Amino acid sequence: MPTDATPAHPRKRKHRRLALALAAVVVVVAVLTGLIASGVLWPTRVLAGRYAVRGVDVSVYQGTIDWTVLGNENLDFAILKSTEGSGSQDSQFAANWEGARDTDLVVGAYHFMSFESPGETQAQNVIDTVPAEAGTLPVTVDLEYYGDFFDNPPSRETVRGILDPLLDALEEHYGVPPMIYTTQKAYDRYVRDNYPDNPIWIRSIAAEPNLPDGRDWTFWQYSSRDRLPGYDGEEEFIDMNVFSGTHDDLRSLTQ
C-alpha cells in the first residue's frame, strides 16, 4: 500500500546515531569537568586514600581558622604558609601557628621562594618569622613557577644561586635539612638528581607522583579543591596532602 513517509537512508541514520553519541560524550565530559571544578570529584582521591597519614596546607586565603574544628577532620599534620621572598610574611601565620600547635597535629611552615631576591635574605625572613620549636616539621621551601615565570622560567643556574644558600642557611639555623615543595615540571628542571638530603613534597593533582629520577616522595599534595569545616577565608577550598609513611615515621621527621 503506498505511503507518503520515506524511510531514512541508512547512512543518514548512522550519522544521526553518531551525532547523538558525540553529544552524549560532550554532556558527560561537561558534567565531570563541572564536578571536578566544584571539588565534588577529584581524580587522585582514590589513589591518595591508600595512605593513612594525611594533612592540609593553609595560608591567609583560608582566613581565620578554628583549629579545634579543622584538627578534628581526621588530619595528622598541617603545614602553614609563613613567608614569601625577602620581606613578606603571611598575616595569619602567627595565629595559625599558635592555634595548630594547640592541637594534636604535627605542624610545619612553608616559605614561598622568590626568583627575584637573594637566598640569604629570604632565609633571614624565614628565621625571623618561624619559631625553631621541637616537635615541628622541617621548614619547607616552596619552589614553583609564578606570574611571568610560567612562560619564561628562570635558568637552572639562576635558581640554584638562590635556592642553595637559602637551604643552607635554613639547615644551619633549624638543625635539619629543609623540605622542598615543588611541581613536577619545576622538579624536573631544578631539583632532579640533586638535594638528596631534602625531603620532597610534590604536587600532582592528576595522578600519583612518579619522580623522573626514581626518587621517593615524602609528602604528596593530591588535591587543591577539597572543602573542610573550620575556616572562613576568601578561598573556599583547601589543599590536601598525604605522607608516605606511618604516624611514627611522621613524628620521627620532626625536629
Side-chain angles (χ1 to χ4, degrees):
M1 181 175 180
T3 176
D4 293 334
T6 303
H9 191 280
R11 183 175 296 176
K12 289 183 179 180
R13 289 199 299 269
K14 181 179 180 181
H15 288 169
R16 187 178 302 141
R17 289 196 297 268
L18 180 59
L20 290 173
L22 289 174
V25 170
V26 170
V27 170
V28 170
V29 170
V31 169
L32 290 175
T33 300
L35 291 173
I36 290 172
S38 65
V40 175
L41 294 179
W42 201 250
T44 49
R45 283 186 182 136
V46 174
L47 296 173
R50 299 191 296 111
Y51 297 92
V53 182
R54 70 175 203 149
V56 296
D57 63 275
V58 301
S59 71
V60 66
Y61 293 111
Q62 276 72 41
T64 301
I65 297 176
D66 185 330
W67 283 100
T68 301
V69 173
L70 186 60
N72 284 327
E73 287 300 306
N74 191 29
L75 301 176
D76 304 291
F77 62 88
I79 304 178
L80 325 171
K81 183 177 181 181
S82 59
T83 44
E84 184 169 336
S86 293
S88 177
Q89 299 83 38
D90 189 287
S91 61
Q92 287 294 118
F93 173 70
N96 282 336
W97 185 266
E98 181 179 1
R101 291 284 281 151
D102 281 341
T103 70
D104 292 331
L105 297 171
V106 178
V107 180
Y110 77 89
H111 167 77
F112 191 95
M113 191 185 108
S114 169
F115 299 135
E116 301 164 274
S117 64
E120 293 86 352
T121 54
Q122 294 194 52
Q124 193 60 52
N125 188 21
V126 178
I127 291 167
D128 290 343
T129 305
V130 180
E133 295 182 0
T136 58
L137 293 170
V139 169
T140 296
V141 174
D142 181 343
L143 170 59
E144 60 180 297
Y145 301 126
Y146 60 92
D148 292 338
F149 293 109
F150 280 105
D151 296 325
N152 300 289
S155 69
R156 183 180 177 91
E157 292 72 22
T158 296
V159 170
R160 290 288 298 271
I162 300 169
L163 180 61
D164 289 2
L166 171 58
L167 294 174
D168 288 345
L170 294 178
E171 182 172 357
E172 180 178 356
H173 179 77
Y174 292 101
V176 292
M179 294 197 293
I180 299 175
Y181 168 94
T182 190
T183 63
Q184 299 212 48
K185 285 186 178 180
Y187 182 93
D188 193 38
R189 188 179 183 96
Y190 303 120
V191 181
R192 179 175 182 168
D193 297 320
N194 285 284
Y195 309 107
D197 297 327
N198 300 91
I200 298 299
W201 176 12
I202 190 77
R203 171 181 169 85
S204 180
I205 59 174
E208 186 164 348
N210 183 16
L211 300 181
D213 52 5
R215 183 174 177 178
D216 293 331
W217 52 266
T218 301
F219 290 89
W220 168 26
Q221 185 186 83
Y222 67 87
S223 169
S224 58
R225 305 286 287 185
D226 270 59
R227 289 186 178 93
L228 295 175
Y231 60 93
D232 63 358
E234 62 181 83
E235 176 55 72
E236 61 180 307
F237 298 111
I238 196 167
D239 295 340
M240 295 298 301
N241 307 267
V242 290
F243 174 68
S244 61
T246 66
H247 292 86
D248 288 341
D249 293 333
L250 180 68
R251 294 285 178 183
S252 69
L253 189 62
T254 61
Q255 304 177 57

